[in-house]
Amino acid sequence: MKRIYKKLSFWLPVLSVLVCLYNLSGEDDKNLLLFLTSPLLLIFNPELTRLHYAMGNEQAFQFILYGIHFVSWLAFALIVEWGLSWLSRKAQERPPNR
């Protein structure tokens, strides 16, 4: 259990949940922190704006934003961890220089 606290795939989603809870509390009423901490939300902003106007439920739209935020940070952490493990595996396989 101690090893999970050392992983990026634990801490980045935790930070994402904290940002989402801060937004849900009403302190980030213009969604600035939510959008500035998630590149996918900024990239898909025009499509999300159209979706927002097409939907009738504000709470469902907020949870879509939270889901995109959480999944993007989880995917980023998993990709970085995979890359680091691949690099360390390559370094271990390399024969020593003589």
Side-chain angles (χ1 to χ4, degrees):
M1 188 66 176
K2 285 184 179 180
R3 294 193 67 180
I4 196 166
Y5 295 124
K6 295 181 180 180
K7 293 196 173 275
L8 200 58
S9 60
F10 173 76
W11 287 109
L12 286 182
V14 166
L15 291 174
S16 173
V17 167
L18 290 175
V19 168
C20 292
L21 288 175
Y22 183 73
N23 183 274
L24 191 61
S25 73
E27 294 294 322
D28 186 23
D29 59 344
K30 296 195 183 340
N31 298 331
L32 287 177
L33 183 65
L34 188 68
F35 273 81
L36 292 177
T37 56
S38 180
L40 281 181
L41 291 177
L42 283 176
I43 291 169
F44 295 124
N45 190 22
E47 290 82 10
L48 289 171
T49 303
R50 275 188 248 118
L51 177 67
H52 180 247
Y53 288 124
M55 290 181 71
N57 192 343
E58 180 73 26
Q59 289 177 338
F61 179 71
Q62 282 297 113
F63 285 113
I64 289 171
L65 293 180
Y66 298 154
I68 292 171
H69 193 271
F70 180 79
V71 168
S72 66
W73 279 111
L74 179 63
F76 177 72
L78 290 173
I79 289 169
V80 168
E81 283 183 356
W82 173 80
L84 290 175
S85 69
W86 182 78
L87 286 174
S88 67
R89 219 177 20 244
K90 283 291 188 183
Q92 289 174 356
E93 291 175 358
R94 189 176 307 145
N97 294 334
R98 292 186 190 192

